[in-house]
Amino acid sequence: MKKIFLMTLIIGMISLTMLGCDVVNDKKSNQPKEKVLSENIKKEDVFFEELGIKFNLPSKWKNIEKSIDIYGTAPRENVEGQLIISFIPDEVMDKAKKMNEEADKIPETEKAKIEEAAKKIMDLTDEFKEMCVIASIDKGREEGTFQKELFSKYENNDLIGKEGDLDFYFLYNNKPNISNLSEETKKEYEQVYKEVKNLKNAIKIFKPVSEQEKLSKYNKIEFNTKTIDGKKIDSSIFKENKLTMINIWATYCGPCIEEMPDIQKLYEEVEGEKINVIGIISDTPDKDNEEVAKSILSKKGVKFQNIIPDETIKNGILSDIQGVPTTIFVDNEGKVVGEVLVGANNKEDYKKAIEDRLASIK
């Protein structure tokens, strides 16, 4: 629970966890998503379909899963993607817990103080100890500044595989950075770091599968479930509107939470135009997460309906989504309209997406 607890507290940087696959737009790094692994995953502990990377965790890491964080980033220049693996010191966990307890005492009306507290918690991700990176490089593009800077951070830049136009490199240093750690944590981290070379030999490379490719098989969205407030709801609500925007988010996802005020404003603007907005809370049903979700929605002033995924949603589209937030648009029959949007957006971007899709269904 310790890792999940930290993921809930720290709203910002992380984009992938060991429990699922999440690839998102880059906002320092963006959000994670905890989810059931895809059906085609049988053996690997960690599987990132959109990055083309899978591997089993070193055995010693499995015993300290709470202290290992894995997240991925979107393309940047000729670096098609990165999988970044870090160690989370117990000191950071403890700080996050204390800061969250203090933040809970702030009245909901004092939004500036809440935002400041959230930023301080988010900044704790800077105290994670980055151990290694798996980077995919597009050989068809000129080497950019970002790759040079990335590779210069590590003593070892080992080529571990090729797939089409992509070269995959394993980046790591010979010794861990143990600065600012307690003596007890230093010892734990040094033991963890010894497994980095073993991880290198466990990595398997395959052809990446894009989000659009995976989600293109879903032509219609259906559900029969309840809202976060416990009210019954099903996909017949789509009939009431020309278009419905479905924003899939998670309680641990910083960018998801940050974009909520914009989505609420959008909802208020389009509500009278036969356009609806609903949310799907991807890391529910779960009693603790549902309480966190209620708190987030209240603090962000969200009034549009947010639903708990049923088995149809969980075993369907959520099993193939690789990043949150992900936004889908459906017509009055629940049929998907246009491409899926992956990553956070502002109100105007979402409004433009709505206008484009309305034009396509006239």
Side-chain angles (χ1 to χ4, degrees), residues 12 28 34 56 90 92 98 121 132 168 234 246 249 252 288 299 308 312 315 318 340 348-349 356:
K28 188 171 184 179
E34 178 193 357
N56 282 312
D90 282 347
V92 177
K98 290 176 182 177
I121 294 174
C132 54
F168 290 79
D234 61 51
I246 305 172
W249 64 283
Y252 48 72
D288 292 339
K299 288 180 178 179
I308 308 297
T312 301
N315 296 329
L318 286 190
V340 171
E348 295 308 316
D349 288 337
D356 290 345

Side-chain angles (χ1 to χ4, degrees), residues 188-203:
E188 181 183 22
Y189 183 34
E190 287 173 335
Q191 290 301 311
V192 170
Y193 203 85
K194 287 180 181 179
E195 297 297 314
V196 168
K197 289 185 179 179
N198 292 334
L199 174 64
K200 169 187 169 182
N201 298 325
I203 298 167

